Amino acid sequence: MQSEQIQLVDQAIMSRHSVRAFLSTPIEPQIIKDILAVASRAPSGTNTQPWKVYVVTGQTRDTMIRRVCEAQMALTNDPSHAEHYQETFAYYPEKWISPFIDRRRENGWGLYGLLNIQKGEKEKMAQQQLRNFQLFDAPVGLYFTVNKMMGIGSKMDISMMIQNVMIAAKARGLDTCPQAAWNHFHPIVLDVLHAPEDEELVCTVALGYADPDHIVNTFITPRESVESFTQFLD
Ligand SMILES: Cc1cc2nc3c(=O)[nH]c(=O)nc-3n(C[C@H](O)[C@H](O)[C@H](O)COP(=O)(O)O)c2cc1C
């Protein structure tokens, strides 16, 4: 690979970060199709290509946001509703340990700090959580599903495909935010999507043009050094 190509690929990967404020500027459907076509070159175990993608815009987007925001607000007002909104798979552990909990806290407080949300400001936190279900104002929501009968491996496959989507979007001047938050509301999401019963929601991606003036988009997260997570065994 030529050094210019390396730079371009690295630049697309390095410049991706989770954007949490979008402009309402619509995206040409052909651009979304191109991104998905490129992303579908992702590998998958025995080339099963288990992913399905729902591209949600316009009225369907409005319905999705209205219904899930209503559910989230009801949940905030009465946490006992949580029993209706269980994830289909546990994304996070029940009991956290270091160093993961430390990084999680650093991430949360870093984001809240930028938004001037202090510890104990529950109303402000709830409003920020609700932003997830407004797709952070992105004009497009991508909802990724796999068939329920596929094993855990299909979640690896679709995750590789989703990363491709985010990088291919970045290369086209678009930004993204991967969102597991919607998974709690999978019965509503799948209903709005008219998805068949055998499908499971794995992840949502907000897609759009980043709002360059919003402070939340200046949030750049750190990474551990290669040495800290790698062993070279000769
Ligand atoms: C599978 C997955 C689910 C995520 N879910 C959410 C989410 O629901 N809401 C959110 O604001 N960010 C979400 N994120 C974004 C992470 O917080 C973010 O990737 C992480 O802090 C690293 O920052 P970066 O993406 O800007 O590099 C998610 C990321 C991944 C990979």
Side-chain angles (χ1 to χ4, degrees), residues 22-34:
F22 291 88
L23 303 173
S24 57
T25 316
I27 307 171
E28 286 289 322
Q30 189 56 50
I31 296 179
I32 302 173
K33 280 187 199 163
D34 290 348

Side-chain angles (χ1 to χ4, degrees), residues 14 16-20 91-92 103 107-108 111 128-129 132-133 136 159 162-163 166 176-183 202-204 219-223:
M14 297 286 286
R16 183 217 60 80
H17 66 110
S18 294
V19 158
R20 297 184 179 87
Y91 179 43
Y92 292 118
R103 293 180 194 147
N107 192 65
L111 189 62
Q128 181 55 27
Q129 177 64 0
N132 271 290
F133 309 114
F136 304 110
S159 300
I162 293 169
Q163 171 72 353
M166 295 192 288
T176 53
C177 186
Q179 299 179 273
W182 293 82
N183 291 6
V202 178
C203 194
T204 300
F219 188 56
I220 302 296
T221 51
R223 294 295 187 271

